[in-house]
Amino acid sequence: MIVHPEALATNDAFVIEDFNGLLARVLGERLKTVPCSQAPSGKRIFYGIAPDGAAKGVLRDQEHCITVENGDVYLFGGGINGARYAAYDLLKNVLGYKFIDSFGGMVLPDKAALKLKPMRRKRMFAFDYRTISWSCRRNGREAALFLFRHGFNGAGMTALMRREKLPEGCYVPDFRIAQPGDATLGRLFLPQDDMKTGFDWPKRRYGRHLAKEHPEYFGKKPDGSPDFSLQCCFSEPGARAEIRRRVFDFLAEAPEGAIVDVS
């Protein structure tokens, strides 16, 4: 039986559903899920609930723990995704589930692997922010689940989960990311024509035509004339100064953004 807190957030409900479905592929049936007020005695998996004396409140953000004692399993951690990371750590690194590609490739453990010995396991990611360059257009749902199960928390995951019609709000990032993400310089900080881009921030902040006022900021055609189809020219001192100014202006407007991509 899976036991969860009385108040269950959407993202945790999604994790429990996925976790339970993956266990069922080996057990042959799904486990019953109940709030902690209805928990029976013995042989329980506690999601988001720490055992007595575990000091859950002192765990760092994203630190996650697995405790097995007296026949019960506790999956918990720090921050908004600690329990989620503990659940998939149990599946992948303790039980032996392998999520091997974005096509849904999977290796299931033997049923005997689900018999656990007492343990106290605590882990932390080597990097706080985890993302990769990939094509979200391929293998949509399976790709989203592959990244989700492996703990990716980069920009774009929220939109991907929503696009694949996975439950709204099932993905909660660990960091607040200043968007729009990749190719930021060309799309946000130094657009070719401020008044014609679709981004409100440059229009509101600057509202001018860089292509008309500073053609030297852009690449050149073979005859030396500006080529506005190209990106800005980073060898041009004025362009670099403008980029720097816009980046710092943007940081001032979005102080909650832990990471700003300036690719």
Side-chain angles (χ1 to χ4, degrees), residues 64-90:
H64 44 287
C65 305
I66 301 171
T67 297
V68 181
E69 61 183 28
N70 300 323
D72 290 326
V73 179
Y74 297 85
L75 307 174
F76 60 100
I80 56 178
N81 280 314
R84 163 195 165 192
Y85 296 140
Y88 290 111
D89 181 39
L90 176 69

Side-chain angles (χ1 to χ4, degrees), residues 195-213:
M195 300 302 291
K196 291 184 179 179
T197 64
F199 298 98
D200 292 334
W201 183 81
K203 289 192 292 184
R204 184 176 71 254
R205 166 65 78 171
Y206 297 101
R208 65 178 184 176
H209 296 268
L210 284 178
K212 293 180 180 179
E213 296 185 14

Side-chain angles (χ1 to χ4, degrees), residues 7-52:
L8 192 60
T10 303
N11 56 308
D12 289 319
F14 176 79
V15 173
I16 291 174
E17 178 73 14
D18 188 43
F19 177 80
N20 202 0
L22 291 166
L23 286 178
R25 297 184 66 168
V26 176
L27 292 173
E29 61 181 350
R30 299 177 71 88
L31 300 178
K32 185 178 180 180
T33 63
V34 297
C36 55
S37 61
Q38 300 176 25
S41 59
K43 295 184 178 180
R44 300 160 296 184
I45 300 176
F46 289 96
Y47 177 90
I49 301 171
D52 293 338

Side-chain angles (χ1 to χ4, degrees), residues 170-259:
C170 63
Y171 175 78
V172 179
D174 298 277
F175 293 94
R176 294 195 64 178
I177 312 302
Q179 297 294 341
D182 64 334
T184 313
L185 288 180
R187 296 169 57 201
L188 179 60
F189 296 130
L190 194 61
Q192 293 177 16
D193 187 330
D194 282 343
M195 300 302 291
K196 291 184 179 179
T197 64
F199 298 98
D200 292 334
W201 183 81
K203 289 192 292 184
R204 184 176 71 254
R205 166 65 78 171
Y206 297 101
R208 65 178 184 176
H209 296 268
L210 284 178
K212 293 180 180 179
E213 296 185 14
H214 293 284
E216 70 277 12
Y217 285 4
F218 300 90
K220 305 294 188 292
K221 296 178 181 179
D223 63 4
S225 61
D227 186 346
F228 300 117
S229 68
L230 300 177
Q231 296 184 8
C232 53
C233 178
F234 297 109
S235 65
E236 213 290 318
R240 292 202 304 273
E242 181 71 10
I243 290 169
R244 177 184 174 87
R245 183 167 69 92
R246 292 191 175 209
V247 169
F248 279 91
D249 281 350
F250 183 78
L251 290 172
E253 282 208 354
E256 76 282 358
I259 294 176

